[in-house]
Amino acid sequence: MRALRTAASGMAAQQLNVEVISNNIANMNTVGFKRQRAEFQDLLYQNVERMGAQSSSQGTVVPTGIQIGAGVKAGSVYRVTEQGTPTQTGSTYDMAIDGRGYFQILMPSGETAYTRAGNFSVNGEGQLVTDDGYAVQPNISIPEGALDVSISKAGQVQVIVQGQTEPQIVGQIELAAFFNEAGLEAIGDNLLLETAASGPAAIGTPTDVGFGELLQGYTEASNVDAVSEISSLIIAQRAYEMNSKVITTADQMLSVAGQVKS
């Protein structure tokens, strides 16, 4: 019975949906996290009677025909890149991007990764790094003995060192922007990689046209909305249960058919 396979595809689709929702909920407090949304497509149809086919020698045509669907499949898992709420931390090296753009991170492999998570710190050499010790690009080095560090909205890093009254510029934060942000590949650790789907990175400074501004002492919160995710979870659960009910009903119908005696 075709309904068994169709309902099974529906259960598999809703299982994927629940997995995506669970990942969103698990990352509700992950800095810079962007929620994902599962999207689905219907499968191929069997044309029992094709619409538009001639139904008589007088030229009459079938107005609607008979098409029987084969179920559903996952079309994509789309990353929603809307802005998360800036959250004040008070940490000198924390930064949130208010607007478009990604921080550039140098991986140990030499590859450049990108992130919205601006919870940075400095290592033993004074370099601005991520939680995993990966250096922010371009390289920013804070001199030893710096009394105060200031990061402007335009990404200019200034420090005041002992014995000086005028601030000293030690670096410039640059951001990367992509034509299709949803096409970036997530590799974990709040990092993303450029792909053919995302397009090449366009590099610019904060506050430039097409780029956001920096907020020192803030981080960007996850854009996951708990109420929406719980609502989506309930809908996915109900859909899973209904597909399961279809399988049970189809199985009972097959049992009845098997008991028919000639």
Side-chain angles (χ1 to χ4, degrees):
M1 185 175 286
R2 186 183 291 108
L4 290 169
R5 295 190 299 272
T6 301
S9 72
M11 292 180 70
Q14 293 309 319
Q15 180 179 337
L16 172 65
N17 197 14
V18 170
E19 288 168 354
V20 172
I21 294 169
S22 67
N23 185 58
N24 289 341
I25 295 174
N27 284 282
M28 282 182 58
N29 294 319
T30 300
V31 176
F33 178 80
K34 302 301 180 185
R35 65 185 176 89
Q36 293 178 296
R37 183 179 67 228
E39 296 181 341
F40 302 98
Q41 299 173 344
D42 51 353
L43 289 173
L44 292 174
Y45 288 80
Q46 179 185 2
N47 285 303
V48 178
E49 186 175 15
R50 188 175 296 275
M51 62 285 293
Q54 276 199 348
S55 58
S56 73
S57 59
Q58 280 71 37
T60 56
V61 296
V62 177
T64 57
I66 301 173
Q67 282 190 309
I68 301 177
V72 64
K73 68 173 182 177
S76 67
V77 177
Y78 181 84
R79 184 178 296 105
V80 181
T81 58
E82 65 184 6
Q83 177 85 38
T85 304
T87 303
Q88 188 170 15
T89 64
S91 177
T92 301
Y93 301 108
D94 282 349
M95 286 175 276
I97 303 172
D98 185 12
R100 192 162 173 257
Y102 291 83
F103 295 109
Q104 302 173 82
I105 307 298
L106 181 63
M107 302 285 288
S109 62
E111 192 173 11
T112 300
Y114 305 92
T115 185
R116 293 281 298 192
N119 50 329
F120 301 129
S121 55
V122 291
N123 61 15
E125 299 174 353
Q127 285 184 313
L128 192 64
V129 296
T130 67
D131 287 343
D132 293 314
Y134 303 154
V136 176
Q137 295 297 299
N139 185 50
I140 306 293
S141 293
I142 307 300
E144 188 176 357
L147 301 178
D148 184 56
V149 178
S150 174
I151 304 172
S152 70
K153 292 184 177 181
Q156 191 176 77
V157 183
Q158 297 179 325
V159 300
I160 296 179
V161 297
Q162 193 169 8
Q164 295 183 356
T165 57
E166 293 296 323
Q168 173 185 346
I169 299 174
V170 296
Q172 171 68 51
I173 301 290
E174 292 183 351
L175 301 179
F178 297 89
F179 189 78
N180 176 28
E181 297 181 18
L184 293 168
E185 178 188 359
I187 58 172
D189 298 325
N190 292 338
L191 298 176
L192 303 163
L193 293 180
E194 176 186 314
T195 68
S198 68
I203 309 301
T205 57
T207 70
D208 281 354
V209 176
F211 293 89
E213 63 182 26
L214 296 187
L215 303 176
Q216 184 183 13
Y218 287 79
T219 56
E220 182 184 359
S222 166
N223 66 359
V224 175
D225 179 66
V227 175
S228 296
E229 296 301 324
I230 292 300
S231 298
S232 298
L233 182 62
I234 294 171
I235 292 171
Q237 180 187 11
R238 294 290 182 265
Y240 190 92
E241 291 172 352
M242 285 187 285
N243 279 284
S244 173
K245 181 62 176 177
V246 170
I247 291 179
T248 302
T249 302
D251 182 57
Q252 291 172 351
M253 293 170 66
L254 283 173
S255 298
V256 172
Q259 294 169 8
V260 175
K261 299 187 181 295
S262 57

